[in-house]
Amino acid sequence: MPLPPEPPDKKDSAGADPRDLAAQFEDEKPGRVLSGPVGVLITGTTLAIALLALWQVFSPLSQGSKFYLVIFLAGVLPVVFLAFPADLRLPERLRRGARRAGGESRPDTGDRDEGGGPTVVDWVLAAAALVSCLYPVLPVPLGDGGGGYDAFLDRQGLLVGVDVAMGTVLLLLLLEACRRTTGWILPAVCLVFLGYGYYGGLLPQSWPVAHAGLDFGQLVDAFYNSDSGFYGTPLDVAATYIVLFTIYGAVLDLSGAGRFFVELSAAAFRRSRTAAGRTAVASGFLLGTVSGSGAATTVSIGAVTWPVLRRAGYPPERAGGMLAAAGVGAILSPPTLGAAAFIIAEYLGVSYLQVLGWATVPTVLYYLGILLAVEIDARRSGVRPVVLDTASPWRLLGRFGYHFLSLLAIVVLLAVGFSATRAVVVSTVLAAVLSFLDRRHRLTPARLLAALSAGVRGVLAVSAVCAAAGIITATTTKTGLGPQAAALLVSGAKAVSSDPAVVLALTALLAAVALTLLGLAVPVTASFVIGWVIIGPALLDLGVTAPAAAMFVFYFAVLSEASPPTALAAVAAAAVTGGRLVPTMWQTLRYALPAYLIPLAFVVTPTGLGLLGIGGAQRIAVAGVVAALSVAVLAVAAGGWLPGVGPAGTPERILGALAGLTLLWLEPVPVAVGAALAAVMVAGVLVRRGTAGPTGVPSAGATVIHGEEKQ
């Protein structure tokens, strides 16, 4: 049975275009929508970048990967200045004076950029970006500098004045590009690291974070002409992996996969008692393979499922929390994890398939927690059952199940030895070919070019962030800040206890808090990079394995999208449902609770490595089962209801919280204690039910056909 036709002007419940709404709550700011000659120029440039990225997969440039990164950044950075407005507000007095001088009579709206095309300043910055990016490879002598790529590399550590000037220009341009795309905080963090590198030598040498001092030329050399600066691993990941996966996501989306995933989720649970909630969660998981963005996935599933959730009786805040938690899962779920996952693969020198394997069990536990919370909420709050009148899931799979083939192809190709880049290119071609099975979503040449362009535009902001992250990594490397900060973190834990297990647990808790606070301020990718170079060494020094430490930092970097007081996914969900913001954030935190606790489990005990699929079948099975029990008990404690039995009182909920936390210490004695506490909790709920009598059941609900109530 064909899917129902898409509405010509798809809107969310508040009347806004979901794509525009999603852009407001991303880590990256929305860019301009350009047309005319400028739009053609931007499209042509992004297409050239896409073709270069694809060419690099099968026929790498002979000059090496760093040469490719120079060309890639030279294509991306000028487009950032043309596609993203300056978004600066002049002081009121200056604005009034400028209007009077120009003879303008229109009212002052206070707008920073009214949606026009690039300004003269934008063009100047774009030209400066092009020159400063291409300077290392231009075979043109400029005084003592220039002379081509090989000559530039030969001057590493011995930069001349022209080199320093060009590196300084690129440094300032990258800070401005980050400000335009992500806001003020990341550039401010980069400036703090820059100031530390320059002035750190003035600190008392008895301080642990003091260093010998670096002059400005040494810093620019580290940024501009080393493998840990602008052209370091983060930008390498953006230019090699992320751009290809964003192109794949754009192709998959234009082929109709997103709509199919939502329809399949609705069909799979159309007759269940909690159909509305289950549909929202399953849609979030499946749509994550297309978007890979928490806020965008939240808005996409909310625009479709919020009307159904509302008719089922979900309060806006609770529905918003569910939608946000499901959206954040998009960044945690294989096979298309967030951008930081590719950085993990590069930093640790492992295949992307291994990173997918590490993420599999935690993803299952995360969605188990959300689904249990959905079931508990439905029974505790009397949510009305909603029957979704859709086609059979088997009919949908038979007609549109080909959308899964390209996703499966990525995993299969990785398993047989393909690199991640070649696997995703082959899967992109497969998705484009399969799109012709649906005449409404065929990727004609024009639509295919649009997908390539959209994929590159999707990586503009993250490329600027990754290049700017080189300021942080290079400063940390040159000054030795990473080991120093790690020593401070460990010494703080040792001040409380000398027991190694307690020290490790306290260090992990301090690291979790630090990473969460860091993630509130900067985008996920930058948060991971900073966390890895500062906090990663502390965990490694205490004997934590590299995979566990990297995944620990990754999860807490991602969870910033669900953490108050910023919680971008929760803000986006509240905008869709119209719920109060703070209660929506706390509901998101409750639904996403397992994701905050599971990373602690695979750091503090050796058995916890089983949650990453490491250590053999027995360890994986034991860790998975015990962690699943912990997630279930914590869901009961947080929701106040034991499915199949009845409500849990405050004493039982406290016991459940203690049991769940104890179980996560995956050692025999804590597991036995946690299981005993869980049994006491269940017994308490049974006694309470016997005392109170049988509980009521939700009333019969409405039938909904694709989100509309049947009269």
Side-chain angles (χ1 to χ4, degrees), residues 157-520:
L158 301 169
L159 294 189
V160 298
V162 179
D163 298 334
V164 174
M166 287 294 182
T168 303
V169 170
L170 183 54
L171 168 66
L172 296 175
L173 290 172
L174 283 172
L175 293 176
E176 170 61 9
C178 284
R179 188 199 63 77
R180 290 185 178 217
T181 55
T182 66
W184 287 96
I185 296 179
L186 180 58
V189 171
C190 292
L191 287 174
V192 168
F193 275 83
L194 180 62
Y196 170 73
Y198 188 73
Y199 293 107
L202 302 179
L203 296 174
Q205 292 302 302
S206 59
W207 290 14
V209 294
H211 59 85
L214 299 169
D215 62 38
F216 190 72
Q218 290 175 304
L219 288 170
V220 172
D221 178 75
F223 301 153
Y224 200 31
N225 199 1
S226 76
D227 293 334
S228 62
F230 301 146
Y231 305 110
T233 298
L235 182 63
D236 188 17
V237 168
T240 305
Y241 298 100
I242 301 174
V243 65
L244 297 176
F245 274 84
T246 54
I247 290 172
Y248 169 67
V251 168
L252 200 61
D253 189 31
L254 285 179
S255 69
R259 181 169 177 79
F260 162 68
F261 291 152
V262 174
E263 289 291 332
L264 180 63
S265 301
F269 303 115
R270 69 190 191 280
R271 298 188 184 281
S272 69
R273 186 177 186 179
T274 53
R278 291 182 182 181
T279 297
V281 175
S283 299
F285 173 73
L286 293 174
L287 280 177
T289 61
V290 178
S291 73
S293 164
T297 304
T298 297
V299 172
S300 297
I301 62 177
V304 177
T305 61
W306 164 233
V308 183
L309 293 168
R310 182 175 54 208
R311 289 184 174 90
Y314 278 92
E317 293 78 15
R318 185 165 293 172
M322 180 195 308
L323 294 172
V328 170
I331 318 177
L332 304 173
S333 305
T336 51
L337 299 169
F342 299 102
I343 301 180
I344 292 175
E346 288 295 306
Y347 277 166
L348 301 187
V350 299
S351 70
Y352 181 60
L353 182 63
Q354 280 188 272
V355 180
L356 293 183
W358 298 339
T360 299
V361 175
T363 299
V364 172
L365 294 172
Y366 179 74
Y367 280 98
L368 171 64
I370 297 179
L371 288 173
L372 286 172
V374 167
E375 300 294 327
I376 289 170
D377 283 349
R379 286 155 177 79
R380 183 185 181 191
S381 58
V383 171
R384 296 184 297 274
V386 175
V387 179
L388 302 176
D389 191 0
T390 64
S392 162
W394 300 112
R395 294 182 65 183
L396 285 175
L397 280 172
R399 176 64 183 88
F400 299 102
Y402 59 82
H403 286 300
F404 285 114
L405 293 179
S406 63
L407 292 168
L408 293 174
I410 293 178
V411 179
V412 172
L413 292 173
L414 289 173
V416 298
F418 274 59
S419 66
T421 52
R422 294 197 174 198
V424 73
V425 170
V426 172
S427 296
T428 302
V429 173
L430 178 61
V433 171
L434 292 174
S435 70
F436 284 86
L437 296 176
D438 183 357
R439 67 177 61 185
R440 295 168 303 162
H441 297 100
R442 291 175 180 171
L443 285 181
T444 60
R447 284 168 57 83
L448 181 59
L449 293 178
L452 292 173
S453 178
V456 173
R457 286 201 60 154
V459 83
L460 292 178
V462 74
S463 297
V465 168
C466 288
I471 300 171
I472 297 167
T473 56
T475 302
T476 303
T477 301
K478 293 287 286 186
T479 61
L481 177 61
Q484 294 165 347
L488 280 175
L489 190 64
V490 174
S491 63
K494 287 183 176 179
V496 178
S497 172
S498 59
D499 183 84
V502 176
V503 170
L504 177 56
L506 289 176
T507 302
L509 286 174
L510 292 173
V513 172
L515 288 167
T516 302
L517 294 175
L518 177 65
L520 300 179

